[in-house]
Amino acid sequence: MQDLYTASKENRAFLHARLGLGHDQLQPFKANISTWICPDLMNNRSVSVSKAKKAIADYKKAIGRLEGMAELSIFYCEEAFGFLESCSMEDESYFAALIRMYGRSLEFVSSLPAAQRATYLERLDKPRSRGSHVGWGQDELNSLWHAAALDEQQSE
C-alpha cells in the first residue's frame, strides 16, 4: 500500500479522497484543475482542457460524491472565467468545453437535495454575467440555466 501511495500525486489524491483522509480531500483535484485550465503563461505553461477534466474524472473514480462533483465542476468554471478575464485567449474549443462544464455543473447541482443547492446556485449564477465580460457565452449560459429550471428549484 505504501508503494502505491508514494508512486504518484494522483495515487495520493485518490487514496485521500477514497479513505476520507486529510482536511480537504478536494484540494489536490482543484490544484490540478487550476494548473491546466488556468496555467501560468509567464512560465510557459499551456492550457489542457482534457487534463483539467481528468481531475474531475479522477475524483469521480475515487469517491464521486455528488457535492464534490458539483464543487469541482463549478470550480473549473470559476477558474476558466478568471483565466479568460486575465488574458485575451480566443480558443473555440476552450469556450465550448467551458460551456459543457457549466451544463454539467447545473446537472450536478440540480441533483442535490434542495437544502444544499443555494450556495452552489449563487456561484453558478455569477458566470452568467461574467460571460459578457469576455465577449461571448452569456446567451449559451443563460439558455442552460433556464433549461435546468433552477429558478423554480431554488424556491423549493
Side-chain angles (χ1 to χ4, degrees):
M1 185 67 113
Q2 180 160 348
D3 291 341
L4 180 63
Y5 183 82
T6 58
S8 71
K9 284 189 221 179
E10 290 80 14
N11 287 356
R12 282 191 293 282
F14 177 92
L15 290 168
H16 279 243
R18 176 63 62 95
L19 302 173
L21 303 173
H23 68 283
D24 184 4
Q25 288 114 23
L26 295 178
Q27 191 283 327
F29 301 99
K30 286 182 173 181
N32 279 340
I33 292 168
S34 290
T35 296
W36 296 111
I37 206 67
C38 188
D40 182 356
L41 298 176
M42 299 302 286
N43 286 324
N44 237 6
R45 306 280 185 205
S46 61
V47 170
S48 176
V49 168
S50 63
K51 289 179 182 176
K53 288 170 42 178
K54 183 182 180 308
I56 298 171
D58 289 347
Y59 173 80
K60 184 176 183 179
K61 288 177 197 169
I63 193 166
R65 286 192 350 233
L66 191 55
E67 311 85 51
M69 297 298 292
E71 176 64 33
L72 291 175
S73 61
I74 294 169
F75 180 78
Y76 174 108
C77 295
E78 291 167 341
E79 289 291 290
F81 271 104
F83 183 69
L84 289 170
E85 290 169 343
S86 69
C87 68
S88 299
M89 188 175 83
E90 293 189 23
D91 181 339
E92 190 173 328
S93 63
Y94 187 91
F95 297 149
L98 174 54
I99 290 170
R100 282 191 306 273
M101 187 60 69
Y102 186 82
R104 288 187 66 205
S105 299
L106 291 168
E107 291 170 14
F108 292 136
V109 172
S110 294
S111 298
L112 290 169
Q116 294 180 335
R117 290 184 201 140
T119 302
Y120 294 116
L121 290 175
E122 186 177 311
R123 288 174 59 199
L124 277 170
D125 195 28
K126 290 177 184 174
R128 294 191 309 148
S129 63
R130 290 174 82 180
S132 64
H133 295 97
V134 295
W136 67 272
Q138 191 169 18
D139 292 338
E140 290 91 346
L141 299 176
N142 282 332
S143 292
L144 289 168
W145 177 273
H146 294 296
L150 290 169
D151 295 327
E152 291 83 23
Q153 289 185 25
Q154 197 168 10
S155 62
E156 285 180 3

